[in-house]
Amino acid sequence: MSGKIGVLALQGDVREHVSVLAELGAHPVEVRCPEDLAGIDGIIVPGGESTTMALLLDSAGIRSPLADLLGSGMPAFGTCAGMILLAAEVLDGRRDQAGFAVIDISVRRNAFGRQVDSFELDLAIAELGHEPIHGVFIRAPIVERAGAGVEILAAVDGRPVACRQGPVLVTSFHPELSGDLRLHDLFLKGVG
Amino acid sequence: MKRGLAEMLRGGVIMDVVTADQAKVAEDAGAVAVMALERVPADIRRDGGVARMSDPALVEAIKAAVTIPVMAKARIGHFAEAQVLEALGVDYIDESEVLTPADEAYHIDKWRFTVPFVCGATNLGEALRRISEGAALIRSKGEAGTGDVKEAVRHLRSIVGDIRRVTQADSAELYGWAKTLQAPVGLVQDLAASRSLPVPLFCAGGIATPADAALVMQLGAEAVFVGSGIFKSADPPRVARAIVEATTHFRDPAIVAKVSRGLGPAMRGEESSSVETRLSERGW
């Protein structure tokens, strides 16, 4: 795998995604300005504060060129805040918190509660084999609605926490923090 | 997982706020979190007296006003204040030298809490001692409430410089480093192996302008705390926004220049060497 993968680097746990990508043999590129988008084959939207990232997307001039790339089918992987930014609808988000709407889900921010309610849990994802994946949930968002075209890869108490629609993969937890590379690998396979 | 939230705050700005309205201004400007307190450090300095944990009603009002994480300060060693803040559901507790210390010998045993803690440090030894007590995030202290970035630079350089030096040491020398730093040898060995602190390193104390934020980020801070610098400036919403952008684009002077233009007077400030109470000397 030698694809050039952008990691949106406006704020959040960029470094973890970059190091996982490098470990898997991809070429990570930190994206802070429109020029950084040139030639990328896929994009990761990391964990962090979605409100902050949404605002910086505009001030950095990245929103519209990235939306064009995503609109033309570029693969994307969003974790936590990244899931929020890729979702079709953000429930009780801020008015100005428009995202890219490339996966047909409605998410509610911080729905599992505050930091003291954060948790870790092993999740079974059939496509990744028998070994469960360790999910780290930090002030995590909940998927309240998934459209007909959305595959649910994992759920907690009946609520989806990992979803895929075409080239777009999202998780409400942080595989980049657990040391398990399989979800990133799955994403890279989709990049081809 | 306690560390996890700190990873999510990286590259961001955590802003001191004293009212729910200020918290909204901070969130609108792109803060990654707010620190709820009754007086910003500049006012604590001016007013004197004993500075304590904020009124729970204030913390709750600020929590209700924003969707981003809310932090609050407890006095050094005051584990009962920390228990109250945890019960209130704050996302992070800052065991802070800005408040009047409650214990002259011991910091809070932070392993006993579910909520993560951030602690200040002026040097690597202090940082490692706080980590050994369970801190999930370290901020260099600087001199809060002065608007003078010099102490922040001193502390950050001291921590980052000593990390570089420990990384160069051989295995026998690491025992000497543990003695010099007055820190557990296990943490010193881990530091030498991983070449970085086991928790993120943020910067606080005296950051008043976008260029200050760009400076400390280039010196190795992973995010910044801004206290008095925003709401003591002439135009808080714009200054807040400018510091957020400068923190993200800290390596791009053209952007720092653009966001710095026409911000109006920054907080007046006070040269750190002229202040009577050196807050950064609190902590052991």
Side-chain angles (χ1 to χ4, degrees), chain A residues 6-165:
Chain A
V7 179
L8 191 65
L10 298 171
Q11 190 273 316
D13 69 337
V14 177
R15 189 172 62 196
E16 283 73 13
H17 281 289
V18 166
S19 82
V20 172
L21 289 173
E23 206 169 324
L24 287 169
H27 295 300
V29 181
E30 295 188 8
V31 175
R32 288 194 181 78
C33 62
E35 295 73 47
D36 297 332
L37 293 166
I40 60 170
D41 304 305
I43 183 102
I44 288 184
V45 186
E49 272 309 312
S50 56
T51 50
T52 304
M53 285 192 238
L55 184 147
L56 289 164
L57 276 170
D58 290 317
S59 65
I62 294 175
R63 184 186 293 275
S64 138
L66 181 54
D68 290 347
L69 289 171
L70 291 167
S72 66
M74 187 178 72
F77 180 18
T79 63
C80 196
M83 169 196 251
I84 295 168
L85 288 170
L86 295 172
E89 187 188 10
V90 181
L91 303 167
D92 72 11
R94 294 166 49 88
R95 278 191 315 278
D96 52 0
Q97 202 182 359
F100 292 106
V102 287
I103 181 163
D104 185 20
I105 54 174
S106 303
V107 296
R108 192 174 292 282
R109 292 179 60 210
N110 309 329
F112 285 105
R114 306 193 72 90
Q115 172 59 23
V116 287
D117 309 310
S118 295
F119 61 99
E120 300 185 28
L121 191 69
D122 283 340
L123 302 161
I125 297 183
E127 213 168 320
L128 300 181
H130 289 304
E131 189 72 20
I133 188 158
H134 191 63
V136 180
F137 293 80
I138 299 169
R139 289 171 50 94
I142 269 186
V143 176
E144 295 219 336
R145 180 197 64 84
V150 176
E151 269 177 277
I152 294 162
L153 303 179
V156 171
D157 298 334
R159 293 175 184 275
V161 295
C163 302
R164 180 171 55 191
Q165 184 173 23

Side-chain angles (χ1 to χ4, degrees), chain B residues 240-279:
Chain B
R241 178 65 180 265
I243 293 178
V244 167
E245 290 191 41
T247 302
T248 290
H249 301 287
F250 66 92
R251 287 195 201 89
D252 189 335
I255 292 182
V256 179
K258 188 182 86 180
V259 302
S260 300
R261 198 166 290 138
L263 283 182
M267 72 178 282
R268 182 174 178 280
E270 214 176 339
E271 213 211 315
S272 59
S273 49
S274 69
V275 298
E276 270 176 41
T277 309
R278 308 266 291 185
L279 300 174

